[in-house]
Coordinates of all heavy atoms in Angstrom, one line a residue:
M1 N 0.8 -1.2 0.0 CA 0.0 0.0 0.0 C 0.9 1.2 0.0 O 1.8 1.3 0.8 CB -0.9 0.0 1.2 CG -1.7 1.2 1.4 SD -2.4 1.5 3.0 CE -0.9 2.0 3.9
K2 N 0.6 2.2 -0.9 CA 1.4 3.4 -1.0 C 0.6 4.6 -0.4 O -0.6 4.7 -0.7 CB 1.7 3.6 -2.5 CG 2.8 4.5 -2.8 CD 3.1 4.6 -4.3 CE 4.5 4.8 -4.5 NZ 4.9 4.9 -5.9
K3 N 1.3 5.3 0.4 CA 0.6 6.5 1.1 C 1.6 7.6 1.1 O 2.8 7.4 1.2 CB 0.2 6.1 2.5 CG -1.3 5.9 2.6 CD -1.7 5.7 4.1 CE -3.0 6.4 4.3 NZ -3.6 6.1 5.5
K4 N 1.1 8.9 1.1 CA 1.9 10.1 1.3 C 1.6 10.8 2.6 O 0.4 10.8 3.0 CB 1.6 11.0 0.1 CG 2.2 10.5 -1.2 CD 2.1 11.5 -2.3 CE 2.6 10.9 -3.6 NZ 2.8 11.9 -4.6
F5 N 2.6 11.3 3.2 CA 2.5 12.0 4.5 C 3.3 13.3 4.4 O 4.4 13.4 3.8 CB 3.1 11.2 5.6 CG 2.4 9.8 5.8 CD1 2.9 8.7 5.2 CD2 1.3 9.7 6.6 CE1 2.3 7.5 5.3 CE2 0.7 8.5 6.7 CZ 1.2 7.4 6.1
K6 N 2.7 14.4 4.9 CA 3.4 15.7 5.0 C 4.4 15.6 6.1 O 4.2 15.0 7.1 CB 2.3 16.8 5.3 CG 2.9 18.2 5.2 CD 1.8 19.2 5.3 CE 2.2 20.6 5.3 NZ 3.5 21.0 5.3
M7 N 5.5 16.3 5.8 CA 6.6 16.3 6.9 C 6.7 17.8 7.3 O 6.6 18.7 6.5 CB 7.9 15.8 6.3 CG 7.8 14.3 5.9 SD 9.3 13.6 5.6 CE 10.0 13.3 7.2
E8 N 7.0 17.9 8.6 CA 7.1 19.3 9.2 C 8.5 19.4 9.7 O 9.1 18.5 10.3 CB 6.1 19.4 10.3 CG 5.9 20.8 10.8 CD 4.7 20.8 11.8 OE1 5.0 20.4 13.0 OE2 3.6 21.1 11.4
N9 N 9.1 20.6 9.5 CA 10.5 21.0 10.0 C 11.6 20.1 9.4 O 12.6 19.9 10.0 CB 10.5 20.9 11.5 CG 9.6 21.8 12.2 OD1 9.4 22.9 11.7 ND2 8.9 21.4 13.3
L10 N 11.4 19.7 8.1 CA 12.5 19.1 7.4 C 13.3 20.2 6.8 O 12.8 20.9 5.9 CB 11.9 18.1 6.3 CG 12.8 17.4 5.4 CD1 13.8 16.5 6.2 CD2 12.0 16.5 4.4
E11 N 14.5 20.4 7.2 CA 15.3 21.6 6.9 C 16.5 21.3 6.0 O 17.2 22.3 5.7 CB 15.7 22.2 8.2 CG 14.5 22.7 9.0 CD 14.9 23.3 10.4 OE1 16.1 23.4 10.7 OE2 14.0 23.6 11.1
C12 N 16.7 20.1 5.6 CA 18.0 19.8 4.9 C 17.8 18.7 3.9 O 17.3 17.6 4.2 CB 19.0 19.5 5.9 SG 20.5 18.7 5.3
A13 N 18.2 18.9 2.6 CA 18.1 17.8 1.6 C 18.9 16.6 1.9 O 18.5 15.5 1.7 CB 18.4 18.4 0.2
N14 N 20.1 16.9 2.5 CA 21.0 15.7 2.8 C 20.3 14.9 4.0 O 20.4 13.7 3.9 CB 22.4 16.3 3.3 CG 23.4 15.2 3.5 OD1 23.4 14.2 2.7 ND2 24.1 15.3 4.5
C15 N 19.7 15.6 4.9 CA 19.0 14.9 6.0 C 17.9 14.1 5.5 O 17.6 13.0 5.9 CB 18.5 15.9 7.0 SG 19.9 16.8 7.9
A16 N 17.2 14.6 4.5 CA 16.0 13.9 3.9 C 16.5 12.6 3.2 O 15.9 11.5 3.4 CB 15.4 14.8 2.8
A17 N 17.7 12.6 2.6 CA 18.3 11.4 2.0 C 18.6 10.4 3.0 O 18.4 9.2 2.9 CB 19.5 11.8 1.1
K18 N 19.2 10.9 4.2 CA 19.5 10.0 5.3 C 18.3 9.3 5.9 O 18.3 8.2 6.2 CB 20.3 10.7 6.3 CG 21.7 11.1 5.9 CD 22.4 11.9 7.1 CE 23.7 12.4 6.7 NZ 24.4 13.2 7.7
M19 N 17.2 10.1 6.0 CA 16.0 9.6 6.6 C 15.4 8.5 5.6 O 15.0 7.5 6.1 CB 15.0 10.7 6.7 CG 15.2 11.7 7.8 SD 14.0 13.1 7.7 CE 14.8 14.2 8.8
E20 N 15.4 8.8 4.3 CA 14.9 7.9 3.3 C 15.7 6.5 3.5 O 15.0 5.5 3.5 CB 15.1 8.5 2.0 CG 14.6 7.6 0.9 CD 14.7 8.3 -0.5 OE1 14.2 9.4 -0.7 OE2 15.3 7.7 -1.4
D21 N 17.0 6.6 3.6 CA 17.8 5.3 3.7 C 17.4 4.6 5.0 O 17.3 3.3 4.9 CB 19.3 5.7 3.8 CG 19.8 6.1 2.4 OD1 19.2 5.8 1.4 OD2 20.9 6.7 2.4
L22 N 17.2 5.3 6.1 CA 16.8 4.6 7.3 C 15.4 4.0 7.2 O 15.2 2.9 7.7 CB 16.9 5.6 8.5 CG 18.3 5.9 9.1 CD1 18.2 6.9 10.2 CD2 19.0 4.7 9.6
I23 N 14.5 4.7 6.7 CA 13.1 4.2 6.6 C 13.0 3.0 5.7 O 12.3 2.1 6.0 CB 12.2 5.4 6.1 CG1 12.1 6.5 7.2 CG2 10.8 4.8 5.8 CD1 11.4 7.8 6.7
K24 N 13.8 3.0 4.6 CA 13.8 1.8 3.7 C 14.3 0.6 4.4 O 13.9 -0.5 3.9 CB 14.7 2.1 2.5 CG 14.1 3.0 1.5 CD 15.0 3.2 0.3 CE 14.4 4.1 -0.8 NZ 15.3 4.3 -1.9
K25 N 15.0 0.7 5.5 CA 15.6 -0.5 6.2 C 14.6 -1.0 7.2 O 14.8 -2.1 7.8 CB 16.9 -0.1 6.9 CG 18.0 0.2 6.0 CD 19.2 0.6 6.7 CE 20.3 1.0 5.7 NZ 21.5 1.5 6.3
I26 N 13.5 -0.4 7.5 CA 12.5 -0.8 8.4 C 11.7 -2.0 7.9 O 11.3 -2.0 6.7 CB 11.4 0.3 8.7 CG1 12.2 1.5 9.4 CG2 10.3 -0.2 9.6 CD1 11.3 2.8 9.5
P27 N 11.6 -3.1 8.6 CA 10.9 -4.3 8.2 C 9.5 -4.0 7.8 O 8.8 -3.3 8.5 CB 11.0 -5.3 9.4 CG 12.1 -4.8 10.2 CD 12.2 -3.3 10.0
G28 N 9.0 -4.5 6.6 CA 7.7 -4.2 6.2 C 7.6 -3.1 5.2 O 6.6 -2.9 4.5
V29 N 8.7 -2.3 5.0 CA 8.7 -1.2 4.1 C 9.2 -1.7 2.7 O 10.3 -2.3 2.6 CB 9.7 0.0 4.5 CG1 9.8 1.0 3.5 CG2 9.1 0.6 5.8
N30 N 8.4 -1.6 1.7 CA 8.8 -2.0 0.3 C 9.6 -0.9 -0.4 O 10.6 -1.2 -1.0 CB 7.6 -2.3 -0.5 CG 6.7 -3.4 0.1 OD1 7.2 -4.4 0.7 ND2 5.4 -3.2 0.1
D31 N 9.2 0.3 -0.1 CA 10.0 1.5 -0.7 C 9.6 2.7 0.0 O 8.5 2.8 0.6 CB 9.6 1.6 -2.2 CG 10.6 2.5 -2.9 OD1 11.8 2.7 -2.4 OD2 10.3 3.1 -4.0
A32 N 10.5 3.7 0.0 CA 10.2 5.0 0.7 C 10.9 6.1 0.0 O 12.0 5.9 -0.6 CB 10.6 4.9 2.1
S33 N 10.3 7.3 0.0 CA 10.9 8.4 -0.7 C 10.6 9.6 0.2 O 9.5 9.9 0.6 CB 10.3 8.6 -2.1 OG 10.8 9.8 -2.6
V34 N 11.7 10.4 0.6 CA 11.5 11.6 1.4 C 12.0 12.7 0.5 O 13.1 12.8 0.0 CB 12.4 11.5 2.6 CG1 12.3 12.9 3.4 CG2 12.0 10.4 3.5
S35 N 11.0 13.6 0.2 CA 11.3 14.8 -0.7 C 11.5 16.1 0.1 O 10.5 16.5 0.8 CB 10.2 15.0 -1.7 OG 10.4 16.2 -2.4
F36 N 12.7 16.6 0.1 CA 12.9 17.9 0.8 C 12.1 19.0 0.1 O 11.5 19.9 0.8 CB 14.4 18.2 0.8 CG 14.7 19.6 1.3 CD1 14.5 19.9 2.6 CD2 15.2 20.6 0.4 CE1 14.8 21.2 3.1 CE2 15.5 21.8 0.9 CZ 15.3 22.2 2.2
L37 N 12.0 19.0 -1.2 CA 11.4 20.1 -1.9 C 9.9 20.1 -1.6 O 9.3 21.2 -1.4 CB 11.6 20.0 -3.4 CG 13.0 20.3 -3.9 CD1 13.2 20.1 -5.4 CD2 13.4 21.7 -3.6
S38 N 9.2 19.0 -1.7 CA 7.8 19.0 -1.4 C 7.4 18.7 0.1 O 6.3 18.8 0.4 CB 7.1 17.9 -2.3 OG 7.5 16.6 -1.9
Q39 N 8.4 18.5 0.9 CA 8.2 18.2 2.3 C 7.3 17.0 2.5 O 6.3 17.1 3.3 CB 7.7 19.5 3.0 CG 8.6 20.6 2.9 CD 9.8 20.6 3.9 OE1 9.5 20.5 5.1 NE2 11.0 20.6 3.5
K40 N 7.5 15.9 1.8 CA 6.6 14.8 1.8 C 7.4 13.5 1.9 O 8.5 13.3 1.4 CB 5.7 14.7 0.6 CG 4.6 15.7 0.5 CD 3.6 15.4 -0.5 CE 2.4 16.3 -0.7 NZ 2.2 17.4 0.0
L41 N 6.7 12.5 2.6 CA 7.2 11.2 2.7 C 6.3 10.3 1.9 O 5.0 10.3 2.2 CB 7.3 10.7 4.2 CG 7.3 9.2 4.4 CD1 8.6 8.6 3.9 CD2 7.1 8.9 5.9
T42 N 6.7 9.6 0.9 CA 5.9 8.6 0.2 C 6.4 7.2 0.7 O 7.6 6.9 0.6 CB 6.1 8.7 -1.3 OG1 5.8 10.1 -1.7 CG2 5.2 7.8 -2.1
L43 N 5.4 6.5 1.2 CA 5.7 5.2 1.8 C 4.9 4.1 1.2 O 3.7 4.2 1.1 CB 5.4 5.3 3.3 CG 5.8 4.2 4.3 CD1 7.3 4.0 4.3 CD2 5.2 4.5 5.7
D44 N 5.6 3.0 0.8 CA 5.0 1.8 0.2 C 5.3 0.7 1.3 O 6.5 0.3 1.4 CB 5.6 1.5 -1.1 CG 4.9 0.3 -1.8 OD1 4.0 -0.3 -1.2 OD2 5.4 -0.1 -2.8
A45 N 4.3 0.3 2.0 CA 4.6 -0.6 3.1 C 3.4 -1.5 3.3 O 2.3 -1.3 2.8 CB 4.8 0.2 4.4
D46 N 3.6 -2.6 4.1 CA 2.5 -3.5 4.5 C 1.5 -2.7 5.3 O 1.8 -2.1 6.3 CB 3.1 -4.6 5.4 CG 4.1 -5.5 4.6 OD1 4.1 -5.5 3.4 OD2 4.8 -6.3 5.3
E47 N 0.2 -2.8 4.8 CA -0.9 -2.1 5.5 C -1.1 -2.5 6.9 O -1.4 -1.7 7.8 CB -2.1 -2.2 4.6 CG -3.2 -1.3 5.1 CD -4.4 -1.3 4.1 OE1 -4.4 -2.0 3.1 OE2 -5.4 -0.5 4.4
D48 N -1.0 -3.8 7.2 CA -1.3 -4.3 8.5 C -0.2 -3.9 9.5 O -0.5 -4.0 10.7 CB -1.6 -5.8 8.5 CG -0.7 -6.6 7.6 OD1 -0.4 -6.1 6.5 OD2 -0.5 -7.8 7.9
K49 N 0.9 -3.4 9.1 CA 2.0 -3.0 10.0 C 2.2 -1.5 10.0 O 3.2 -1.0 10.5 CB 3.3 -3.7 9.6 CG 3.3 -5.2 9.8 CD 4.7 -5.8 9.4 CE 4.7 -7.3 9.5 NZ 6.0 -7.8 9.0
L50 N 1.3 -0.8 9.3 CA 1.5 0.6 9.1 C 1.8 1.4 10.3 O 2.7 2.3 10.4 CB 0.3 1.2 8.3 CG 0.6 2.6 7.7 CD1 1.8 2.6 6.8 CD2 -0.7 3.1 7.0
D51 N 1.0 1.2 11.4 CA 1.2 2.0 12.6 C 2.6 1.8 13.2 O 3.3 2.8 13.6 CB 0.1 1.7 13.6 CG -1.3 2.2 13.2 OD1 -1.4 3.1 12.4 OD2 -2.3 1.6 13.8
E52 N 3.0 0.6 13.2 CA 4.3 0.2 13.8 C 5.4 0.8 12.9 O 6.4 1.4 13.4 CB 4.5 -1.3 13.8 CG 5.8 -1.8 14.3 CD 5.9 -3.3 14.2 OE1 4.9 -4.0 14.2 OE2 7.0 -3.8 14.1
I53 N 5.3 0.7 11.6 CA 6.2 1.3 10.6 C 6.3 2.8 10.8 O 7.4 3.4 10.8 CB 5.9 0.9 9.2 CG1 6.1 -0.6 9.0 CG2 6.7 1.7 8.2 CD1 5.6 -1.2 7.7
L54 N 5.2 3.5 10.9 CA 5.2 4.9 11.0 C 5.9 5.4 12.3 O 6.6 6.4 12.3 CB 3.8 5.5 11.0 CG 3.2 5.6 9.6 CD1 1.7 5.9 9.6 CD2 3.9 6.6 8.7
A55 N 5.7 4.6 13.4 CA 6.3 4.9 14.7 C 7.8 4.8 14.5 O 8.6 5.7 15.0 CB 5.8 4.0 15.8
K56 N 8.3 3.8 13.8 CA 9.7 3.6 13.6 C 10.3 4.6 12.7 O 11.4 5.1 12.8 CB 10.0 2.2 13.1 CG 9.8 1.1 14.1 CD 10.1 -0.3 13.6 CE 9.8 -1.3 14.6 NZ 10.1 -2.7 14.1
A57 N 9.5 5.0 11.7 CA 9.9 6.0 10.7 C 10.1 7.4 11.4 O 11.0 8.1 11.2 CB 8.9 6.2 9.6
Q58 N 9.1 7.7 12.3 CA 9.2 8.9 13.1 C 10.5 8.9 14.0 O 11.2 9.9 14.1 CB 8.0 9.1 14.0 CG 8.0 10.4 14.8 CD 8.1 11.7 14.0 OE1 7.2 12.0 13.2 NE2 9.2 12.4 14.1
K59 N 10.8 7.8 14.6 CA 12.0 7.7 15.4 C 13.2 7.9 14.6 O 14.2 8.6 15.0 CB 12.0 6.3 16.1 CG 12.9 6.2 17.3 CD 12.8 4.9 17.9 CE 11.9 4.9 19.1 NZ 12.0 3.7 19.9
A60 N 13.3 7.3 13.4 CA 14.4 7.5 12.5 C 14.6 8.9 12.1 O 15.7 9.4 12.1 CB 14.2 6.6 11.2
C61 N 13.5 9.6 11.7 CA 13.6 11.0 11.4 C 14.1 11.9 12.5 O 14.9 12.8 12.3 CB 12.2 11.5 10.9 SG 11.7 10.8 9.3
S62 N 13.6 11.6 13.7 CA 14.0 12.4 14.9 C 15.5 12.2 15.2 O 16.1 13.1 15.8 CB 13.1 12.0 16.1 OG 11.8 12.3 15.9
K63 N 16.0 11.0 14.9 CA 17.5 10.8 15.1 C 18.3 11.8 14.2 O 19.4 12.2 14.7 CB 17.9 9.4 14.7 CG 17.6 8.4 15.8 CD 18.1 7.0 15.3 CE 17.7 6.0 16.3 NZ 18.1 4.6 15.8
I64 N 17.8 12.1 13.1 CA 18.5 12.9 12.1 C 18.2 14.4 12.3 O 19.1 15.2 12.4 CB 18.3 12.5 10.7 CG1 18.8 11.1 10.5 CG2 18.9 13.4 9.7 CD1 18.4 10.3 9.3
E65 N 17.0 14.7 12.4 CA 16.5 16.1 12.7 C 15.5 16.0 13.9 O 14.4 15.6 13.7 CB 15.9 16.8 11.5 CG 16.9 17.2 10.5 CD 16.2 18.1 9.4 OE1 15.1 18.6 9.6 OE2 16.8 18.3 8.4
S66 N 15.9 16.4 15.0 CA 15.1 16.2 16.2 C 13.7 16.9 16.2 O 12.7 16.4 16.8 CB 15.8 16.7 17.5 OG 16.1 18.1 17.4
D67 N 13.6 18.0 15.4 CA 12.3 18.7 15.3 C 11.4 18.2 14.1 O 10.2 18.6 14.0 CB 12.5 20.2 15.1 CG 13.1 20.9 16.3 OD1 12.9 20.3 17.4 OD2 13.6 21.9 16.2
C68 N 11.9 17.3 13.3 CA 11.2 16.8 12.1 C 10.0 15.9 12.6 O 10.2 15.0 13.4 CB 12.1 16.1 11.2 SG 11.3 15.7 9.6
K69 N 8.9 16.1 12.0 CA 7.7 15.3 12.3 C 7.0 14.8 11.1 O 6.9 15.6 10.1 CB 6.7 16.1 13.2 CG 7.3 16.4 14.6 CD 6.2 16.9 15.4 CE 6.6 17.3 16.8 NZ 8.0 17.4 17.2
I70 N 6.4 13.6 11.1 CA 5.6 13.1 10.1 C 4.2 13.4 10.5 O 3.7 13.0 11.5 CB 5.8 11.6 9.9 CG1 7.3 11.3 9.5 CG2 4.9 11.0 8.8 CD1 7.6 9.8 9.6
I71 N 3.4 14.1 9.6 CA 2.1 14.5 9.9 C 1.1 13.4 9.4 O 1.1 13.2 8.2 CB 1.7 15.9 9.3 CG1 2.8 16.9 9.7 CG2 0.3 16.3 9.7 CD1 2.9 17.2 11.2
L72 N 0.3 12.8 10.3 CA -0.6 11.7 9.8 C -1.9 12.3 9.4 O -2.3 13.3 9.7 CB -0.8 10.8 11.0 CG 0.5 10.2 11.6 CD1 0.1 9.2 12.8 CD2 1.2 9.4 10.6

């Protein structure tokens, strides 16, 4: 299942690339794209694990930019 989420306080294109790499490593994620220009996360993941995946994705983003949030 593919879904898009708005991101808040994403301040660096390099950080977006690092976040994308970390999110792609989360079990259940088929593909992920973090766009600095559009401030969006596009996530292709198992629907039944989506809440768990989003929690792990938020944690990954916070490691790189502490103020960055995924808006559900």
Side-chain angles (χ1 to χ4, degrees):
M1 176 197 73
K2 200 174 209 179
K3 256 189 143 168
K4 290 187 180 192
F5 301 92
K6 187 172 177 353
M7 297 191 76
E8 193 174 82
N9 300 322
L10 178 58
E11 299 176 1
C12 164
N14 188 42
C15 294
K18 289 179 185 177
M19 289 175 193
E20 183 176 303
D21 288 341
L22 284 177
I23 293 169
K24 284 181 177 180
K25 293 177 184 175
I26 297 170
V29 173
N30 303 320
D31 195 23
S33 172
V34 177
S35 172
F36 171 68
L37 290 175
S38 65
Q39 300 280 301
K40 286 196 178 1
L41 162 65
T42 303
L43 188 62
D44 182 5
D46 295 342
E47 190 171 0
D48 38 328
K49 295 181 182 177
L50 191 60
D51 290 339
E52 179 185 336
I53 290 168
L54 282 171
K56 288 180 180 180
Q58 179 60 65
K59 198 178 259 191
C61 291
S62 295
K63 280 184 185 176
I64 296 165
E65 282 190 18
S66 59
D67 291 340
C68 185
K69 293 190 178 17
I70 299 170
I71 308 300
L72 305 179

